[in-house]
Amino acid sequence: MDRVSFRTQVLTRHLNNHHSTSTDLLHPATCLSYSPPELWEQPPDYDTKSLRKLLDRDSMEEIDYMFNLMIQSNLFCRRERGGKVFILPDFNQSMEQQREMTMRRIGYLREQGVFDGWLTRKGPDAELSGFTRANSCGVFDHSFGIKLGVHFFLWGGAIQFMGTKRHHDKWLKPTETYEVIGCFAMTELGHGSNVRGIETVTRYDASTGEFIINTPCESAQKYWIGGAANHATHAVVFSQLEIDGANQGVHAFIAQIRDKDGNMCQNVRIADCGHKIGLNGVDNGRIWFDNVRIPRENLLNSVADVSPEGQYLSAIKDPLQRFAAFMAPLTSGRVTIAASSMNTTKKGLATAVRYSLSRRAFSMKPNEPEVLLLDYPSHQRRLLPLIAKTYALSFASEYLKTIYVKRTPESIKTVHVVSSALKATLTWHSMRTLQDCREACGGQGLKTENHVGQLKSEYDVQLTFEGDNNVLMQQVSKALFMEFLAAKKRGKPIKGLGLEHLNKPSPIIPSNLTSSNLRTTQFQTDIFCLRERDLLHRFVTEVSQRQAQGESKEHIFTVTYQIAEDLGRAFSDRLVLQTFLDVEATVPAGSLKNVLALMRSMYTTIVMEEDLSFLRYGYLSTGNAAVVRKEVMRLCSELRPHALPLVSSFGIPDALLGPVGFDWIDANAWSSV
Amino acid sequence: MFLLLCFCKLFVTAVEMLTVVHWVKPGRTKSNHIQDIQNSDYPSSCCCDSRLILMAPTNQVLLKESSNVRTIILNRPKQLNALSLEMISRLSEVFHSYEEDPNVKLIIMKGEGRAFCAGGDVAAVVNDINKGSWKLGAFFFSKEFALNYFLATYTKPQVSLLRGIVMGGGAGVSIHGRFRVVTDNTVFAMPETALGLFPDVGASYYLSRLPGFFGEYVGLTGARLDGAEMLACGLATHFVPLEKLSLLEDALCKANSGDPKIISNIINGFSNKNPKLKEKSQYFRLKIIDRCFSRRTVEEIISALEKEADKSADDWILWTIQSLKKASPTSLKISLRSIREGRLQGVGQCLTREYRMVCTVMRGEFSRDFFEGCRALLLDKDKTPKWKPSKLELVGNDMVDRYFAALDDKDWKDLKLPARSSLPSYAISKL
């Protein structure tokens, strides 16, 4: 019995290594020993589960179920460190091995029925559950989450939202069962964010009733297509549609690229994107189409169709609008990216904070015990604001999920703007946090086994895919500009996107701020609204002035990027604060509400300290900025006793954190070599 | 004063054998509650005079000393060493004093007679509750779970010699310890779901850490494991043939060491490293068990099992389905959630959660299955409990949630875990 001897080996190793009590007289008497922070950190006077429920809401049980599945399977590289079990992908494996493991893990989940109903069940709960499943997998390994995301959200989502009944009936079920493995061929070597500029061309052949997809030049090769290099059998191909020589704009088609045995289809060439700085468990590939013929029915025709005779039919006449209607449902990608970036952040922070509560450095006086890292104010300043920010941004991410799954034709614009803003804000926060956590873990942060450092390269792509963050922020500002103008034109108060505060008189900021000012909801809301309002006015003024001087709109938006990006951030920060307040309002008075208020103050204060726009445009005087800076330090010391319960309430199981967050001495003992 | 003892036999048509589980139903016990009654946290309103009259010298736990080794013997053989409140109190006291006593290096624990320990004396608990208040039951479990936690975080090695039956509470005083030695006649089970209870005493911690989803299988079906199976799945650390057990005990006393390495080497010297799993062992069914018991809900587990049975029905799979269908639906649902939550928790959180659950069960506000189970299996012995709610689909999520929430009762408090000066890292978890 393999299993029996394996267990016996494990147990023997365990017994031999564990807490050896044999003492050698030659050893120095005092040795560092690990002491879990739970032993002496003050226990919270609130229920950590209630706090976690504010983050994970009704998905808590499903998330934990996914963790259960992963922890109990040998496919997830279980390893024992310091008497605890951890799971972590083996980043020392080759690219090919990592890809193979990702696919095997997917196969395992499929067998457990995890994918049943993912695409065929309808409604907000079903959609939320899809997010939960993919994001839980992403907590283990970003590649795992992305590989699922490409298949279900991008390929499956394109069929669901861009296709019609004939596509749903044919493709959704086989997608759930992985008989069909999908990929999403949008980006090209020459065009990424600018989808409308892609060069792939599709023409219709009325004599055979087929479309012919072609890659006319090297820059039109499909690039970064997740799943294409090894596994995908089908692709949603984005291409210009040319009917009778007239370009009808970008449309999406289903094309088979491999047969069941994995052989490339005729007239399809596929190459590998190669080794990347991270995410090597995803097989990104490049695709060329050499006049590939597909049936007419493979056009995803929710917005436009081509008749058997070759006539182009669409209810929306303006190609620009058609394109917008077409792309609108694909915001789900940004929703998952935002949510998954919060999971990464939580993982990194929980590990780094736990380490800082067990690692000591330097004594204040000779022969005194060394000081715990997190008892240094400077270390508190590095980590604690990040905790508060992570809570704030996680609330926002939950809000985004909610408005996405409850979307209506009227709310789609809001979902688009909010998802763009939050995707950028949350992923930037995630990368920055991981870097700080890596540094806070010192050398231990460099070991891939401890997650923190490796996560940076695994998640770096978040800042780029589904829209470059800077481009997204500029788009947000453009949308705000349009909203503002439209309201003005209508002569009515502005409504939606949380901009209603613009209808009220401008808030007044006290000229001499005090600590207690800084902690009031009133002040926090006022200054965030003031900043958004002022930046929007400045942006509108600048654009209008330039327009009056005869500059083209396109040109204007390219040269006003500085203020546009400032405005994007101001919009996002105000939105985050609003969702924080909404969450806080659901909590009854008591210790949990108090700690939330403390975190909210930390969040707003740190934004004021870090974002230069407050000083640049004078929302804070230099004197007030000094008060803010002092307050950050005070808030850090107040938040310090909450550090452990706050990161515990993130809800990431120990098994998915870095071993350095636990008994790192035992984990590194000679006996466990 | 004589003991009124009734043994209840619960016949389970397992494939390989006819197993007999003994539940103890004392009409009146010789319980010595004096220490506990004097404890201020004993529910005063429920204290009945008869107990004071029935006090007898403590002989339910025997102690042996051999230089630095202490042997604890569970000594209630007629009741298969079922843990009475008196025994639990005595064990807590003994373990506390041994931990502080520098002369004690190693603790051996065993049972007198044919069993190691058949469980907590739940029938006595039911009796107490019927006579007094559910808080008497809560008190029993608070003492028992606190002891479980103490053993799970114990700083000195404990070697449990698991001869015969090890069930429920018996597992709770042994599995958390460092060395668990099983033998030819060991029978392990967590049979609580058949009784309207759930696997407690920290089982959500140790069952959830068995390979794959074997823990769910053992916890939900109440399946019996023999010594070889226990070793294979990790519930036991060593298998020592029956005839060598007393030699092992002597050797451990003679070695007089508290060094886990030395102890491990000694036990290894007597043990059979690779005891043969019997041909029809359920451990060979791990693949099916993983496939079915990994499902998200009890309903899905049963339907997955039924699908497997459609493919190839054998006695084992039919027994598995049957045992799930016979168990209390409420018990199954809370047990599954408990194991799943336990997998992500430390042993302290597991016991704290289980204490909430057990108090909710004792209070009987949402379901009285525990009392019905005891009636049907221990008192009337008609073996046909009428569960209420009677079907899985009638046990809603919100109802399950109630078992995991703090009790809405002004006198009730969460389990107070004994303070520890050090904690092994496996004993903690943040969730």
Side-chain angles (χ1 to χ4, degrees):
Chain A
M1 262 296 285
D2 272 346
R3 193 124 204 168
V4 178
S5 45
F6 168 69
R7 278 297 317 173
T8 323
Q9 270 175 24
V10 170
L11 288 167
T12 319
R13 235 184 357 247
H14 178 73
L15 295 172
N16 290 340
N17 300 338
H18 212 75
H19 296 284
S20 170
T21 50
S22 59
T23 42
D24 187 335
L25 291 174
L26 294 174
H27 281 178
T30 50
C31 229
L32 283 181
S33 69
Y34 173 82
S35 167
E38 276 80 358
L39 258 186
W40 32 267
E41 284 287 306
Q42 207 183 334
D45 48 4
Y46 49 86
D47 182 15
T48 49
K49 204 172 167 180
S50 314
L51 181 52
R52 186 184 164 201
K53 205 163 160 47
L54 297 177
L55 294 174
D56 291 336
R57 302 202 191 173
D58 295 334
S59 307
M60 210 154 89
E61 210 196 321
E62 192 167 17
I63 294 172
D64 286 349
Y65 172 61
M66 294 297 297
F67 291 150
N68 263 271
L69 284 181
M70 294 189 259
I71 292 169
Q72 289 309 99
S73 162
N74 291 328
L75 289 171
F76 293 80
C77 311
R78 287 165 67 89
R79 56 189 90 178
E80 226 185 285
R81 295 284 183 274
K84 282 178 88 88
V85 168
F86 293 92
I87 56 171
L88 167 80
D90 183 353
F91 292 112
N92 198 28
Q93 282 182 330
S94 71
M95 178 179 86
E96 292 301 336
Q97 286 169 320
Q98 290 188 45
R99 291 173 177 182
E100 175 60 23
M101 284 312 294
T102 309
M103 248 354 244
R104 285 175 62 188
R105 287 170 190 139
I106 289 175
Y108 164 70
L109 293 190
R110 188 195 56 199
E111 274 173 35
Q112 313 306 314
V114 169
F115 306 145
D116 296 351
W118 189 322
L119 296 167
T120 47
R121 257 177 64 215
K122 299 265 178 292
D125 287 345
E127 280 194 298
L128 264 184
S129 157
F131 287 142
T132 302
R133 285 176 267 183
N135 283 334
S136 308
C137 295
V139 176
F140 169 73
D141 177 18
H142 196 209
S143 291
F144 189 25
I146 289 303
K147 188 91 177 155
L148 284 175
V150 167
H151 181 71
F152 285 102
F153 296 126
L154 296 182
W155 156 265
I159 308 260
Q160 274 180 318
F161 302 128
M162 300 177 163
T164 50
K165 187 167 182 302
R166 69 174 184 233
H167 305 110
H168 301 165
D169 293 348
K170 185 168 178 189
W171 302 101
L172 292 183
K173 194 76 206 168
T175 299
E176 277 180 9
T177 56
Y178 269 84
E179 283 162 71
V180 159
I181 304 178
C183 65
F184 189 78
M186 182 187 263
T187 297
E188 294 175 359
L189 177 60
H191 291 86
S193 288
N194 179 19
V195 180
R196 279 198 290 140
I198 57 172
E199 296 169 289
T200 303
V201 180
T202 299
R203 295 183 186 86
Y204 182 65
D205 179 356
S207 65
T208 58
E210 289 171 318
F211 285 110
I212 305 163
I213 307 176
N214 192 39
T215 304
C217 50
E218 284 300 354
S219 61
Q221 62 177 280
K222 292 294 177 186
Y223 214 99
W224 296 126
I225 310 310
N230 292 117
H231 302 122
T233 60
H234 291 71
V236 171
V237 184
F238 287 81
S239 157
Q240 305 290 349
L241 173 62
E242 229 179 81
I243 298 285
D244 299 330
N247 185 6
Q248 299 293 351
V250 175
H251 289 70
F253 305 84
I254 295 172
Q256 184 164 3
I257 56 172
R258 281 195 182 84
D259 65 15
K260 274 201 174 125
D261 306 322
N263 306 307
M264 271 178 245
C265 291
Q266 232 187 348
N267 300 330
V268 174
R269 286 175 287 147
I270 301 174
D272 206 308
C273 288
H275 191 249
K276 307 183 291 279
I277 60 161
L279 213 69
N280 282 304
V282 175
D283 51 324
N284 291 93
R286 309 184 273 152
I287 315 175
W288 291 259
F289 297 93
D290 302 328
N291 292 317
V292 175
R293 287 178 167 266
I294 56 163
R296 187 187 64 91
E297 291 75 22
N298 283 15
L299 168 67
L300 294 175
N301 60 342
S302 69
V303 172
D305 208 349
V306 173
S307 74
E309 298 74 33
Q311 203 189 349
Y312 185 75
L313 312 158
S314 176
I316 309 173
K317 289 283 165 270
D318 176 12
L320 247 175
Q321 267 185 24
R322 210 153 57 210
F323 180 72
F326 200 54
M327 301 303 291
L330 288 180
T331 31
S332 70
R334 280 181 208 145
V335 179
T336 46
I337 291 167
S340 111
S341 71
M342 282 303 99
N343 284 333
T344 335
T345 314
K346 290 172 190 166
K347 222 170 130 166
L349 257 179
T351 304
V353 168
R354 291 193 62 91
Y355 182 62
S356 73
L357 287 169
S358 67
R359 170 82 187 204
R360 294 168 182 275
F362 304 105
S363 312
M364 291 290 157
K365 285 180 199 155
N367 300 324
E368 264 193 356
E370 291 176 280
V371 177
L372 209 55
L373 293 189
L374 203 62
D375 285 336
Y376 284 100
S378 61
H379 210 77
Q380 293 171 7
R381 172 62 185 83
R382 284 162 81 173
L383 293 176
L384 300 182
L386 296 174
I387 298 180
K389 255 186 155 172
T390 301
Y391 269 92
L393 299 181
S394 297
F395 294 151
S397 158
E398 283 305 306
Y399 162 75
L400 171 61
K401 267 192 226 166
T402 311
I403 61 167
Y404 174 78
V405 299
K406 292 188 175 160
R407 67 192 176 280
T408 59
E410 295 75 45
S411 75
I412 209 78
K413 199 197 290 166
T414 307
V415 176
H416 185 76
V417 176
V418 169
S419 66
S420 303
L422 291 183
K423 184 264 182 185
T425 307
L426 271 61
T427 55
W428 269 327
H429 168 68
S430 158
M431 281 310 285
R432 184 241 160 127
T433 303
L434 289 174
Q435 180 63 35
D436 283 339
C437 290
R438 208 295 292 151
E439 292 175 40
C441 287
Q444 289 294 330
L446 300 170
K447 290 180 70 161
T448 56
E449 167 178 288
N450 289 326
H451 300 254
V452 188
Q454 180 71 25
L455 287 180
K456 286 191 299 171
S457 43
E458 292 299 316
Y459 283 87
D460 199 335
V461 63
Q462 297 177 117
L463 279 62
T464 296
F465 60 17
E466 297 279 328
D468 169 86
N469 280 1
N470 290 294
V471 175
L472 287 179
M473 277 306 196
Q474 290 173 30
Q475 279 181 8
V476 168
S477 295
K478 220 160 118 181
L480 297 179
F481 171 83
M482 301 295 192
E483 276 305 291
F484 184 82
L485 236 57
K488 218 172 162 187
K489 227 182 231 170
R490 283 196 308 265
K492 281 188 181 160
I494 191 160
K495 233 180 110 191
L497 292 169
L499 296 173
E500 290 81 358
H501 66 91
L502 287 161
N503 303 318
K504 290 190 229 157
S506 184
I508 313 273
I509 302 303
S511 47
N512 290 308
L513 282 176
T514 61
S515 165
S516 52
N517 281 145
L518 285 170
R519 301 203 187 192
T520 63
T521 318
Q522 184 66 50
F523 165 76
Q524 293 162 1
T525 316
D526 280 353
I527 193 150
F528 275 44
C529 286
L530 176 70
R531 166 175 167 234
E532 182 184 26
R533 171 194 196 103
D534 180 67
L535 285 168
L536 181 53
H537 283 306
R538 283 170 192 265
F539 188 50
V540 171
T541 314
E542 183 163 353
V543 174
S544 317
Q545 277 173 359
R546 283 174 181 271
Q547 262 178 325
Q549 286 159 13
E551 289 180 41
S552 79
K553 238 186 190 172
E554 288 69 25
H555 175 73
I556 296 171
F557 283 124
T558 57
V559 293
T560 51
Y561 69 93
Q562 286 179 322
I563 200 156
E565 286 173 15
D566 280 344
L567 172 59
R569 268 191 281 273
F571 167 77
S572 175
D573 292 342
R574 194 264 309 143
L575 177 77
V576 171
L577 174 59
Q578 190 53 52
T579 57
F580 200 127
L581 289 168
D582 291 346
V583 170
E584 233 179 301
T586 64
V587 178
S591 44
L592 181 55
K593 205 182 182 81
N594 296 342
V595 78
L596 284 173
L598 192 59
M599 283 201 287
R600 180 196 4 99
S601 292
M602 175 61 104
Y603 167 71
T604 47
T605 313
I606 206 74
V607 166
M608 284 186 270
E609 195 200 31
E610 288 178 351
D611 194 301
L612 282 176
S613 67
F614 287 90
L615 273 170
R616 185 182 295 137
Y617 302 103
Y619 315 130
L620 286 176
S621 63
T622 47
N624 280 347
V627 176
V628 164
R629 196 167 172 75
K630 235 184 210 156
E631 190 65 10
V632 168
M633 212 169 149
R634 196 176 289 132
L635 282 162
C636 280
S637 67
E638 281 179 48
L639 215 47
R640 163 67 185 85
H642 299 283
L644 184 63
L646 286 178
V647 297
S648 298
S649 304
F650 283 159
I652 311 283
D654 294 356
L656 284 120
L657 299 181
V660 71
F662 300 90
D663 192 343
W664 42 270
I665 295 181
D666 199 2
N668 287 288
W670 174 251
S671 53
S672 54
V673 168
Chain B
M1 198 60 61
F2 66 95
L3 295 164
L4 274 172
L5 292 172
C6 294
F7 285 78
C8 165
K9 291 176 183 171
L10 215 178
F11 291 94
V12 183
T13 46
V15 198
E16 25 330 79
M17 57 174 183
L18 190 70
T19 339
V20 187
V21 187
H22 300 255
W23 289 101
V24 187
K25 185 226 135 188
R28 286 181 169 177
T29 60
K30 279 206 293 183
S31 317
N32 175 2
H33 285 211
I34 186 148
Q35 282 164 354
D36 302 311
I37 290 164
Q38 285 165 348
N39 272 347
S40 56
D41 53 350
Y42 191 79
S44 55
S45 60
C46 321
C47 153
C48 39
D49 292 343
S50 60
R51 290 176 185 286
L52 295 166
I53 303 160
L54 288 168
M55 280 176 339
T58 308
N59 63 358
Q60 297 184 4
V61 174
L62 304 177
L63 306 174
K64 267 193 347 194
E65 283 189 28
S66 153
S67 48
N68 299 120
V69 181
R70 300 289 177 274
T71 305
I72 300 176
I73 305 161
L74 304 174
N75 182 39
R76 224 182 151 208
K78 283 180 183 164
Q79 292 93 338
L80 299 169
N81 299 324
L83 296 174
S84 62
L85 185 55
E86 175 191 343
M87 289 165 88
I88 289 168
S89 307
R90 183 70 183 136
L91 287 171
S92 304
E93 192 184 282
V94 168
F95 272 100
H96 271 89
S97 74
Y98 286 170
E99 190 167 59
E100 277 153 33
D101 185 349
N103 291 319
V104 178
K105 291 181 182 165
L106 165 68
I107 292 144
I108 299 175
M109 197 169 180
K110 61 180 190 171
E112 183 64 37
R114 347 185 247 125
F116 174 78
C117 171
D121 196 345
V122 280
V125 172
V126 171
N127 207 35
D128 279 353
I129 293 175
N130 286 338
K131 281 196 286 188
S133 144
W134 64 271
K135 285 180 187 161
L136 278 169
F139 180 74
F140 175 90
F141 287 105
S142 72
K143 289 286 163 194
E144 187 181 24
F145 292 3
L147 172 65
N148 299 144
Y149 179 74
F150 202 73
L151 298 186
T153 55
Y154 210 60
T155 49
K156 296 179 182 177
Q158 172 191 352
V159 177
S160 302
L161 304 175
L162 303 174
R163 211 181 321 225
I165 293 170
V166 190
M167 291 188 186
V173 291
S174 55
I175 304 297
H176 293 295
R178 184 72 181 270
F179 299 97
R180 292 90 62 184
V181 180
V182 290
T183 184
D184 303 280
N185 68 354
T186 310
V187 181
F188 170 95
M190 295 301 293
E192 287 85 354
T193 56
L195 204 71
L197 200 61
F198 63 92
D200 58 349
V201 295
S204 63
Y205 180 81
Y206 59 75
L207 288 183
S208 64
R209 277 151 180 84
L210 301 186
F213 296 84
F214 197 61
E216 273 92 338
Y217 164 72
V218 171
L220 295 185
T221 62
R224 281 114 186 84
L225 308 185
D226 63 21
E229 289 169 330
M230 287 178 74
L231 183 71
C233 74
L235 279 168
T237 56
H238 297 82
F239 185 103
V240 173
L242 199 52
E243 67 274 12
K244 291 189 185 164
L245 268 188
S246 51
L247 296 174
L248 166 65
E249 210 181 320
D250 294 344
L252 287 171
C253 291
K254 221 172 106 195
N256 202 30
S257 166
D259 182 344
K261 271 187 211 160
I262 296 173
I263 296 167
S264 181
N265 284 338
I266 294 172
I267 309 178
N268 275 332
F270 290 92
S271 62
N272 175 355
K273 301 276 161 33
N274 217 344
K276 220 171 147 48
L277 285 163
K278 53 184 183 292
E279 198 189 327
K280 287 193 167 180
S281 168
Q282 52 211 334
Y283 207 68
F284 293 126
R285 304 307 186 94
L286 261 189
K287 264 197 175 147
I288 299 186
I289 291 174
D290 279 354
R291 242 188 342 255
C292 301
F293 283 86
S294 59
R295 297 293 166 140
R296 190 164 167 202
T297 62
V298 180
E299 289 93 329
E300 287 171 50
I301 290 174
I302 293 179
S303 89
L305 282 165
E306 284 171 339
K307 261 187 211 149
E308 294 288 340
D310 286 345
K311 275 191 263 169
S312 73
D314 59 26
D315 291 347
W316 172 77
I317 204 152
L318 294 176
W319 173 84
T320 304
I321 295 171
Q322 204 48 40
S323 61
L324 291 177
K325 293 203 161 159
K326 266 172 32 189
S328 148
T330 309
S331 290
L332 288 176
K333 288 212 167 173
I334 62 174
S335 302
L336 182 62
R337 164 115 50 115
S338 173
I339 293 169
R340 296 270 160 89
E341 287 196 10
R343 190 163 278 136
L344 309 179
Q345 293 175 319
V347 69
Q349 285 104 321
C350 283
L351 286 160
T352 308
R353 172 176 39 70
E354 289 176 10
Y355 182 66
R356 287 181 173 194
M357 296 170 69
V358 87
C359 287
T360 312
V361 170
M362 294 303 132
R363 188 156 75 155
E365 197 182 339
F366 308 112
S367 160
R368 297 193 59 81
D369 278 2
F370 174 56
F371 303 97
E372 172 62 11
C374 289
R375 181 204 63 74
L377 300 178
L378 309 183
L379 297 169
D380 301 346
K381 284 180 268 174
D382 56 33
K383 287 178 218 135
T384 48
K386 300 210 166 32
W387 304 126
K388 208 173 150 191
S390 59
K391 286 186 194 139
L392 285 166
E393 56 267 34
L394 299 175
V395 186
N397 264 340
D398 46 339
M399 190 175 150
V400 175
D401 287 343
R402 305 297 287 268
Y403 286 81
F404 295 79
L407 270 76
D408 171 25
D409 182 298
K410 64 175 169 35
D411 298 327
W412 182 89
K413 280 198 192 89
D414 265 321
L415 180 66
K416 195 165 179 280
L417 296 172
R420 306 301 280 145
S421 57
S422 70
L423 273 184
S425 60
Y426 56 81
I428 53 144
S429 170
K430 336 147 306 33
L431 280 176

